Amino acid sequence: MSRTVFPYAATDISALARSLGRELETTPEKPGHVQLLNMLARGAGFRNFQHFRAQQEAEAKLERTPTAPEPVDFVRVERLARYFDAAGRFIRWPSKASHRDLCLWVMWSRWPAGLVLHEREVNDLLNANHLFGDHALLRREMVDTGLVTRTPDCREYRRVEKKPPADAVALIRHVGRACQAQ
């Protein structure tokens, strides 16, 4: 089993020595390994070794460099933007599944977060944001792709809160800017 190494530093060695001396005086017998770890941690200003360890792990986690952002295929986003009119409405249903999935993210972005909608409200929302006249297809596809959940009786719908892929975010922004420019 590998052992995690934690760097140890005391700002004042004299205070550390006094603290260790006091702690050693209170123990009737030779302290064990865990007791020594706790004494050293308290001497450095922590409650115990677990507190020291948690601080070290949290600091290491915060110092890690963040992962690089997911690259955006702007050519693809530009191609997919053709599925939307100047008002940001979905014009036609894409034949490619990969295109459909990203276009559905635009519809997802227009869905109110955290609200339960009834089927009639969902239909009204979808009809206001598409032009090809098949709100049932959109509703079903959004459920099937996991963007929306619904109750077994199909009466209540709720948007699933999750982070869209980078291409979907770029498409949502592009279509949104087109709507605002109009």
Side-chain angles (χ1 to χ4, degrees), residues 3 48 60 93 125:
R3 185 173 64 100
N48 54 31
W93 187 244
L125 175 74

Side-chain angles (χ1 to χ4, degrees), residues 114-148:
L115 290 180
V116 174
L117 298 178
H118 296 285
E119 189 172 357
R120 169 60 53 203
E121 296 167 315
V122 171
N123 293 343
D124 292 342
L125 175 74
L126 294 174
N127 283 329
N129 287 292
H130 87 285
L131 298 176
F132 54 88
D134 198 348
H135 61 268
L137 170 71
L138 286 170
R139 193 179 61 229
R140 188 172 42 255
E141 286 294 321
M142 291 184 79
V143 170
D144 290 347
T145 57
L147 297 175
V148 174

Side-chain angles (χ1 to χ4, degrees), residues 8-21:
Y8 179 85
T11 55
D12 184 0
I13 196 162
S14 178
L16 175 63
R18 278 194 303 274
S19 174
L20 285 175

Side-chain angles (χ1 to χ4, degrees), residues 48-129:
N48 54 31
F49 179 70
Q50 290 300 321
H51 181 227
F52 169 76
R53 181 179 180 162
Q55 290 292 331
Q56 295 294 322
E57 289 173 349
E59 184 178 351
K61 191 177 192 180
L62 289 173
E63 287 179 353
R64 284 188 208 127
T65 57
T67 58
E70 191 179 340
V72 175
D73 183 352
F74 290 105
V75 173
R76 183 177 185 206
V77 170
E78 184 181 25
R79 194 175 314 124
L80 293 175
R82 296 178 191 151
Y83 289 106
F84 296 88
D85 68 0
R89 293 175 300 205
F90 206 176
I91 299 172
R92 67 183 187 283
W93 187 244
S95 58
K96 288 186 174 182
S98 62
H99 290 191
R100 288 192 299 260
D101 291 345
L102 286 176
C103 289
L104 285 174
W105 278 104
V106 174
M107 302 304 282
W108 172 89
S109 72
R110 297 183 179 159
W111 200 288
L115 290 180
V116 174
L117 298 178
H118 296 285
E119 189 172 357
R120 169 60 53 203
E121 296 167 315
V122 171
N123 293 343
D124 292 342
L125 175 74
L126 294 174
N127 283 329
N129 287 292

